[in-house]
Amino acid sequence: MYSFILFPISLLATAVLAAYNPTCSNNVVTYWGQNSWGGAHLDDPDHWEKPLASYCDDSTFDVINISFLTNFNLSGLPVLNHAFHCETTYNYTNTLHCPDIGKDIKKCQANGKKVVLSLGGGNIYTYGLGSSADGQAFADTIWNMFLGGTHKYRPYDDAVLDGIDLDIESGEHTGYPAFINQLRSHFSGASKEYIISAAPQCVYPDANLGSTLSSAWIDNNYVQFYNNPCNLANMDNKWNFDYTSWDKLAKSNANPNSKVYVGLPAGSGAAGNGYLDLGTLKNGLNQLYTSYQSTFGGIMLWDASWYTNNQEYVKGLSDWVKSNMKCGAAPEPTSTPPATETVLYPTN
C-alpha cells in the first residue's frame, strides 16, 4: 500500500451504528492514517484525510486499520507514522504520543467499530522479524503499548485497540508466526476479542506473508486486488486472476472462521490499477461472493481519505455490500475466548 508523509489536526459517539461480525460476508474495512488523497493534492488541505472519529459516525466502515507502525526498532521503542495527524513524540524518544487519536479510538469503539493497528506499509520502512525470538519479544511490546498490557509509553494513552494487522511488504519475515502465537497467548486471558489480520498482495503466494498465512492463526485476509495484474479487471483471465487459492488458504487455516476480503482502491488515484466503475465492480464481487460464500468476509478499501473525496462511490459500494452480502448469526469467538481482564494505565 502507498503512504504519504505530510506535515502538521468531534464527533460524539452516541449509538452503535454498525458492528463487525466475523461470521458475516458484508463487513467493510478501511485504512486510516496515511492521507493518500492528500499526498497527490498538497495544495488542498481542506480535503485531506479527516480525524479518525469522522469515519465512525455512520455505517460505512466496520473495521478501521490505523496505519502504520513503520519501524519495529526491536532494540527500543517502535515508531509510528500517521502522516500529519500526529507529530508529537514522548520526550527523548521517536515514539508518537497521540492523545487525540486515543480519544477518537474510544469514540469509534463506542459506535461499534473495531479499530486495529496496522504494521508495515508499502514504502521503504525499517521493519522485519528475522527469528521466533524477535517475534515473541515484539509481540510483548505490542501487547503492552497498544493492546491490553501496560507501558510507560502508550501512544494512544489508555485506548485499547482491537487487534493487529500485518501489511508486510518488505523485510525479514520468518518471525511472524511466533509473533502471532505470542499475541494469542496474551489474548487468552483477555475480556475482549482481538482481530489478527493480514493484507497480502493478490499474487499467490504472497512473497512476504506466504509462510505466515499458511501456518499461523489469521482472522481476516485483506487481499490487495490492485497494483498487480491480478486485479478484478482481469477476473476472466485465469492466467492473471486467482481467487481460488485464497479461498483454499482460508479454509485450511487453523481458524475455522478465517475469511478472505477483496481489497480495492477507494478512488481512481488510490492505486496504480484495480479501480473499477461501480457496475463492473458489483458484478465481479457478486460472482466471487456466490462462488466462495463460506470464506467471503467483505471488502477492504484503501484508504479512508478517499471517502471524503469520492464519497458517492465509497458509500454506494459499502451500502450495496451490506445489502447484498449475507450476515449470519451472532459472532463466535475467534482469536480470543472470553475471560476477565484488567487494564491498568500508569500516570508517569
Side-chain angles (χ1 to χ4, degrees):
M1 296 178 183
Y2 296 113
S3 59
F4 299 87
I5 302 175
L6 300 179
F7 301 100
I9 257 171
S10 103
L11 298 173
L12 179 63
T14 57
V16 174
L17 299 171
Y20 163 75
N21 185 332
T23 68
C24 287
S25 297
N26 60 4
N27 295 299
V28 179
V29 180
T30 194
Y31 284 77
W32 174 92
Q34 293 301 298
N35 186 36
S36 73
W37 188 91
H41 301 83
L42 298 176
D43 59 347
D44 191 6
D46 289 342
H47 292 90
W48 288 356
E49 193 170 61
K50 304 306 180 185
L52 175 62
S54 301
Y55 301 96
C56 298
D57 63 342
D58 66 18
S59 60
T60 303
F61 303 118
D62 304 299
V63 180
I64 298 179
N65 292 336
I66 296 181
S67 55
F68 287 115
L69 193 158
T70 57
N71 185 340
F72 292 0
N73 192 21
L74 299 179
S75 61
L77 297 172
V79 178
L80 297 159
N81 170 269
H82 297 325
F84 67 101
H85 292 292
C86 176
E87 295 187 311
T88 302
T89 60
Y90 280 104
N91 288 340
Y92 312 111
T93 78
N94 291 318
T95 295
L96 291 178
H97 182 208
C98 311
D100 289 341
I101 295 178
K103 293 175 184 176
D104 280 4
I105 290 168
K106 291 191 280 189
K107 290 178 183 178
C108 290
Q109 291 170 330
N111 265 3
K113 315 297 183 182
K114 297 295 185 183
V115 186
V116 171
L117 178 64
S118 186
L119 314 183
N123 282 350
I124 302 174
Y125 294 128
T126 306
Y127 60 79
L129 296 174
S131 69
S132 293
D134 284 347
Q136 292 169 351
F138 190 58
D140 292 339
T141 298
I142 294 299
W143 172 256
N144 289 326
M145 292 183 67
F146 299 98
L147 303 175
T150 60
H151 200 282
K152 181 179 180 180
Y153 301 113
R154 285 182 66 96
Y156 313 124
D157 289 340
D158 61 347
V160 180
L161 289 167
D162 295 300
I164 295 298
D165 173 69
L166 298 176
D167 182 17
I168 305 304
E169 303 189 23
S170 63
E172 296 180 294
H173 47 264
T174 57
Y176 288 104
F179 170 78
I180 291 173
N181 290 338
Q182 183 71 2
L183 278 181
R184 295 192 67 231
S185 72
H186 289 296
F187 296 170
S188 65
S191 61
K192 65 185 291 182
E193 294 182 6
Y194 290 92
I195 296 170
I196 294 177
S197 60
Q201 304 290 311
C202 56
V203 178
Y204 186 90
D206 182 87
N208 295 289
L209 283 168
S211 59
T212 301
L213 301 181
S214 63
S215 62
W217 181 285
I218 300 292
D219 293 305
N220 299 330
N221 298 274
Y222 305 135
V223 184
Q224 298 181 45
F225 286 101
Y226 51 89
N227 289 333
N228 284 290
C230 46
N231 63 75
L232 265 65
N234 293 320
M235 273 190 64
D236 295 330
N237 185 336
K238 66 179 181 179
W239 303 110
N240 284 330
F241 189 82
D242 176 17
Y243 194 93
T244 301
S245 293
W246 295 106
D247 172 70
K248 291 179 178 178
L249 180 74
K251 288 177 177 176
S252 66
N253 194 268
N255 177 2
N257 290 323
S258 186
K259 301 293 185 183
V260 178
Y261 287 61
V262 180
L264 302 162
S268 58
N273 62 40
Y275 183 73
L276 302 173
D277 66 86
L278 278 179
T280 302
L281 180 55
K282 290 176 182 179
N283 181 62
L285 289 174
N286 191 59
Q287 290 182 51
L288 294 175
Y289 168 69
T290 301
S291 300
Y292 304 100
Q293 190 172 135
S294 67
T295 60
F296 193 96
I299 63 171
M300 176 273 282
L301 295 172
W302 175 264
D303 69 348
S305 66
W306 286 87
Y307 181 56
T308 301
N309 298 286
N310 198 23
Q311 186 166 349
E312 183 177 355
Y313 180 97
V314 173
K315 188 72 168 73
L317 177 58
S318 174
D319 289 347
W320 180 83
V321 167
K322 293 179 183 300
S323 297
N324 289 275
M325 308 309 184
K326 180 181 178 182
C327 188
E332 298 176 2
T334 55
S335 291
T336 312
T340 59
E341 174 187 25
T342 301
V343 177
L344 301 176
Y345 178 65
T347 58
N348 59 340

